Amino acid sequence: MTAEQIAAQAIATHGPANAARIYREAEAAHYSEAQWCDSASDERRKLQLAESYGRIADLIEQQTKGA
């Protein structure tokens, strides 16, 4: 699935008001978890996940402006 498809699915599932919030919370959680990783590879993986969640949240916010 593309980020755009995931964003559209999140909006359909959670509604415009909640979808971006859910993805922003996931982004923050992964950034927080990355600080506590024991290995550099785990830290990179958490940071990549956080960035992905942030990108999806950005897309949701763009698609739902004014909703």
Side-chain angles (χ1 to χ4, degrees), residues 7 11 17 23 30 35 38 41 47-50 57 59 63 67:
I11 293 166
Y23 277 82
H30 281 88
Q35 295 175 2
D38 292 334
S41 63
L47 292 174
Q48 289 172 340
L49 284 170
L59 289 169
Q63 293 177 17

Side-chain angles (χ1 to χ4, degrees), residues 3 6-7 10 14 19-31 33 45-61:
I6 294 169
H14 304 292
R21 179 187 54 78
I22 290 167
Y23 277 82
R24 287 288 176 215
E25 288 173 359
E27 175 189 26
H30 281 88
Y31 275 125
E33 289 175 12
R45 185 175 55 81
K46 292 288 185 182
L47 292 174
Q48 289 172 340
L49 284 170
E51 290 168 4
S52 297
Y53 279 105
R55 181 168 184 257
I56 293 167
D58 290 342
L59 289 169
I60 292 168
E61 289 167 350

